[in-house]
Amino acid sequence: MTKMSDQAQPHRFNFLRVPLFRLLAINLAAGTAVATVFVGGLLALNPAGLRDLILADSSPGTALGLLLFGFVVTFGSTAMGTAIMAMGRRQKDDEPPRGPPRRVAQRFERVAVRAKR
């Protein structure tokens, strides 16, 4: 009978090796950092007495948590969506577009049109 240490360990799937997941995780972390700075700025500036209102509550941690959660969802999803949308953008060192160059817009001249009577 073989020992447990001699047997092959089960292979765990490492999400950080998947480029798309890593991209989303990095951008979620960036959005979370921006949200934390934004909530800290709101508390420091105290617009319309927001800090006083939160700290006067019987459980200010709940109010701060909900406020931070809302901003994390907003800024995190914005950062992740921006990263996904920018994936197809052409980089400077990529190959140039194929085919002959085409005009994007044409110049139109004024044409006099007479109305039928």
Side-chain angles (χ1 to χ4, degrees), residues 48-98:
L50 180 66
R51 179 184 61 216
D52 300 332
L53 184 65
I54 289 174
L55 295 179
D57 190 27
S58 61
S59 59
T62 303
L64 280 175
L66 288 172
L67 184 66
L68 184 62
F69 177 74
F71 281 118
V72 165
V73 167
T74 301
F75 289 122
S77 61
T78 301
M80 289 166 49
T82 303
I84 291 293
M85 297 294 179
M87 280 178 57
R89 193 176 304 167
R90 185 181 305 272
Q91 299 295 323
K92 290 181 182 179
D93 55 345
D94 281 350
E95 61 187 44
R98 290 181 260 157

Side-chain angles (χ1 to χ4, degrees), residues 23-48:
L23 174 79
L24 292 176
I26 289 169
N27 283 285
L28 178 63
T32 303
V34 170
T36 305
V37 168
F38 196 79
V39 168
L42 278 176
L43 292 176
L45 292 175
N46 196 18

